Amino acid sequence: NLSSLVDHFPFVNRHILTNTCSRTYFTLRNRYIGAMQMVRTFYLLCVAVALLASLATAEQLNVYGEPLQECGTEPGSGEGNGCTYRSYDRGAHQVCVTSMPGGFSSSTGQGPWSDAHIGQPWCICIWAYSNVIMQEGNKDEDLPIKCDALPEEVLSSSFSLKKFQDGGPQFLAAIDRMCNTCKAQAPSTEGLSALHSKCVGLKSAAGHKADY
C-alpha cells in the first residue's frame, strides 16, 4: 500500500504522494466508477512520477557541494519543499528566500503579485535576485537567502551567468553579494572551499577575477 511504499523511500515527497495523488485518485474514482482500472493505472503513474522527482531532488547538491536542503514548507515557485534545479524551468527559480519582502515583484517590474505572499518562503529567479539585491539601499537582510538551499547550478557559469546578467549591469556585484553572503553561512571548511571554487569559476567566466 501507499504507506509501506513511502516507508521504503524516506526521501519521497510525502505531500505529493499523500495529497496530490490521493486527492486526484478519489476524484477520478467518483467520476469514473465504471473505469476503475484506468483510475488505478493513473494513480500508479502519479506515484511513479513522484518517486522519480524525489530521486532527482535527493541527488541534487547545493553551492557547498553538500545535499540540497529545504527552503521551507512548500516555497513558492519551488518543487516540494525545495528550490531544486529543473532543466525545464526557464525562469530559474532557484534562489531560496526565507521570507518574501514587501514590494519585491513590483521593484523588478513584475507587478504587485508578491505582496500577497509577504513573509513566505519563495524560490525567486536568479535574475530577480541580481536585480533586487543591487538596488540602492537594499541590504542582505532585505532579501534573506538560505545558501544551503541553493542548488549548485546557481553558481555554475554554464547555467547561471546569463541569468545574473539579465538582472542588470551590476550583475558582477550581485554575484559578489551572493558569494559573500554564502561565505558567511558556510557549514564547514570543505563547504567553504567548494563555494569558493564555484564563485571564482563564475567570475572568471565573466572575464573578471574574484577576490573572496
Side-chain angles (χ1 to χ4, degrees), residues 9-22:
F9 297 93
F11 48 79
V12 167
N13 187 317
R14 292 171 180 264
H15 172 77
I16 294 176
L17 288 176
T18 59
N19 290 355
T20 306
C21 293
S22 296

Side-chain angles (χ1 to χ4, degrees), residues 40-92:
R40 291 191 185 96
T41 299
F42 169 83
Y43 180 71
L44 290 174
L45 287 173
C46 183
V47 171
V49 169
L51 281 169
L52 290 173
S54 297
L55 277 168
T57 301
E59 294 171 353
Q60 290 197 19
L61 300 178
N62 60 25
V63 294
Y64 302 117
E66 299 178 351
L68 186 67
Q69 300 301 301
E70 295 182 351
C71 180
T73 302
E74 297 183 9
S77 298
E79 180 181 47
N81 291 330
C83 297
T84 55
Y85 168 72
R86 290 149 281 166
S87 59
Y88 60 83
D89 178 16
R90 296 182 63 184

